[in-house]
Amino acid sequence: MTDYQLIEPSPLRKLQMSRTSSLYDVYLGYLRKYPRKDAVLQTKDHILSQFPTSIDEQIVCMEFFYMNDFFEELSVITASSYINKEAGHLYQVILSQMERDKKKNYLDELKDLHFTHPSLRCLHLFTLVYSYQDLKVFTALDKYLDECDQALQQVDEPLMYYYLNQRYQELLFYHYWKTNNSILASRYAYKMINTEVSPRRKSRMHHDLALCQLFNGYDSSMESLLKSMEIAEKHGHLRFLQTVKNRSLPFISAFHQETEGISTTDPVEQAHLALARGDYKKTQEILHSLPSLTPFQESYLGLAKGNREMLKHSYHRFIHEQGDYFFAQLPLAYLERI
């Protein structure tokens, strides 16, 4: 399937669309003439040369910037006086949620917001779920799933629907992953990977898929992780690449006890690697120095001490504190190693 066909709605969806944005027509035209990367850049320049005034067009343009990783341009636009205030504020919140050191969670503020525009209402619901996920409350989509689906079906512009549907598929991946349905989660991950998404999003999806494959074997997990690292390196996403090398790579390696040549500057994963290598004293020294333990860290310490009650407690914490039924399997797997 060609790039321009990916963003075109299905014949049935097209019947339900009441309009198309001028951006959709422009972008579709560029995709028919150029490779996707060039079409994206051409469309970006088009938007910046004549930014629209109507709210419908502004929303589609801001979503285009976000989904194609033009975050600096989006940040400037959301602060402009000619942007619809409701739409601009919602995208400012979304950009803030991406910050590396998130000092604020916008959940309470988002709960007080209400939108009538179909696209903003759908985006608002997704953003609520993102805020819950930032707090590691992974059961949030259970509450909003039907509402999100209904809101998505009300989006009546093809490019906005395409991008919001991508977001929805991504949420479904996380939902099925954290509810420990890794087979269904993987299907949604591959659907995302095979659509027209930015390299940043594709790299992160391969990364999360690698974690989703953790209990399916070392090779399955590492195949996706190496693909994530390859894409990140190719496109210069060096900070993300460094995080993967220092956290996810040693985490997967340590769990599967495949640690030869693996090192990290992250103290928690240093403890995890020591655990995999049988150096229980070092694991305990590192973890006892921490002011408090996450469920992951409690699992490591429980195995290092041979403490079955600690591992059982970690299991319950994963479920009751985070609603994370997937990683709740970790302390159960470590129980079998005692």
Side-chain angles (χ1 to χ4, degrees):
M1 186 178 286
T2 60
D3 287 334
Y4 77 84
Q5 288 175 313
L6 286 173
I7 72 165
E8 287 185 318
S10 67
L12 180 60
R13 282 299 310 172
K14 191 174 286 189
L15 289 174
Q16 298 170 322
M17 299 286 177
S18 63
R19 63 186 178 84
T20 61
S21 64
S22 62
L23 183 65
Y24 172 76
D25 294 329
V26 167
Y27 187 35
L28 191 64
Y30 283 137
L31 284 172
R32 284 177 169 146
K33 292 168 58 180
Y34 304 108
R36 179 191 170 275
K37 182 179 179 180
D38 295 335
V40 166
L41 293 174
Q42 295 267 13
T43 305
K44 181 193 78 166
D45 292 342
H46 171 85
I47 295 171
L48 293 175
S49 68
Q50 43 185 323
F51 200 84
T53 56
S54 75
I55 181 173
D56 292 332
E57 297 283 344
Q58 287 185 353
I59 293 169
V60 180
C61 289
M62 286 190 284
E63 185 67 5
F64 176 87
F65 278 145
Y66 178 81
M67 295 297 279
N68 289 288
D69 299 347
F70 298 126
F71 303 126
E72 290 184 13
E73 290 85 350
L74 180 56
S75 180
V76 171
I77 285 170
T78 58
S80 302
S81 58
Y82 53 81
I83 287 293
N84 176 273
K85 289 184 179 179
E86 282 190 335
H89 177 66
L90 186 55
Y91 276 98
Q92 285 175 341
V93 170
I94 292 170
L95 286 172
S96 296
Q97 287 179 322
M98 291 180 55
E99 292 176 4
R100 187 180 186 186
D101 300 314
K102 299 174 184 176
K103 297 180 181 178
K104 178 179 178 181
N105 188 279
Y106 291 85
L107 183 58
D108 291 336
E109 179 181 338
L110 286 165
K111 285 181 177 179
D112 292 333
L113 297 178
H114 301 279
F115 300 92
T116 56
H117 191 286
S119 295
L120 288 182
R121 183 170 179 274
C122 185
L123 187 61
H124 173 234
L125 287 169
F126 292 174
T127 309
L128 273 170
V129 177
Y130 299 154
S131 292
Y132 277 110
Q133 289 177 340
D134 287 343
L135 294 171
K136 298 190 182 301
V137 180
F138 297 114
T139 54
L141 194 56
D142 293 342
K143 177 180 178 181
Y144 291 105
L145 188 59
D146 289 342
E147 214 175 338
C148 286
D149 182 52
Q150 292 169 16
L152 179 62
Q153 301 314 313
Q154 297 303 311
V155 176
D156 59 357
E157 195 284 322
L159 189 56
M160 197 68 189
Y161 176 83
Y162 176 76
Y163 285 138
L164 290 177
N165 188 48
Q166 278 190 14
R167 288 179 181 259
Y168 185 55
Q169 304 300 315
E170 191 173 39
L171 285 178
L172 288 174
F173 162 74
Y174 289 114
H175 172 69
Y176 289 115
W177 176 22
K178 295 303 182 177
T179 54
N180 198 24
N181 191 334
S182 59
I183 294 175
L184 196 51
S186 296
R187 290 179 186 173
Y188 282 103
Y190 284 118
K191 282 177 71 174
M192 279 289 297
I193 288 167
N194 292 324
T195 55
E196 182 251 349
V197 294
S198 69
R200 181 187 69 89
R201 295 174 71 81
K202 192 162 292 197
S203 176
R204 279 157 176 74
M205 184 52 68
H206 276 291
H207 167 268
D208 292 346
L209 180 60
L211 295 177
C212 183
Q213 301 282 358
L214 181 71
F215 302 111
N216 294 336
Y218 175 75
D219 291 339
S220 295
S221 199
M222 284 302 298
E223 181 181 356
S224 293
L225 192 72
L226 292 174
K227 185 64 177 177
S228 170
M229 294 168 65
E230 178 187 328
I231 296 171
E233 186 169 19
K234 179 180 178 181
H235 293 276
H237 301 151
L238 302 183
R239 192 165 69 180
F240 175 68
L241 181 62
Q242 196 62 32
T243 299
V244 174
K245 287 181 176 179
N246 273 317
R247 294 182 182 173
S248 303
L249 178 61
F251 170 75
I252 293 170
S253 301
F255 176 76
H256 288 287
Q257 298 174 302
E258 297 279 354
T259 63
E260 185 176 352
I262 302 296
S263 62
T264 177
T265 59
D266 183 272
V268 172
E269 288 310 316
Q270 286 175 349
H272 197 191
L273 286 171
L275 179 68
R277 291 163 178 156
D279 190 347
Y280 297 156
K281 182 180 178 181
K282 181 176 180 180
T283 299
Q284 292 182 49
E285 286 176 353
I286 294 172
L287 295 178
H288 278 309
S289 70
L290 302 177
S292 61
L293 298 179
T294 67
F296 283 100
Q297 294 157 12
E298 188 175 13
S299 292
Y300 305 160
L301 188 57
L303 180 56
K305 289 185 168 184
N307 188 322
R308 301 180 69 87
E309 291 306 313
M310 187 175 284
L311 287 166
K312 291 175 184 176
H313 186 253
S314 169
Y315 167 79
H316 289 294
R317 287 184 66 196
F318 272 115
I319 291 176
H320 298 299
E321 291 179 14
Q322 301 181 358
D324 193 337
Y325 288 82
F326 178 82
F327 279 121
Q329 295 177 95
L330 183 73
L332 298 183
Y334 284 160
L335 270 170
E336 295 179 0
R337 299 185 187 179
I338 291 180

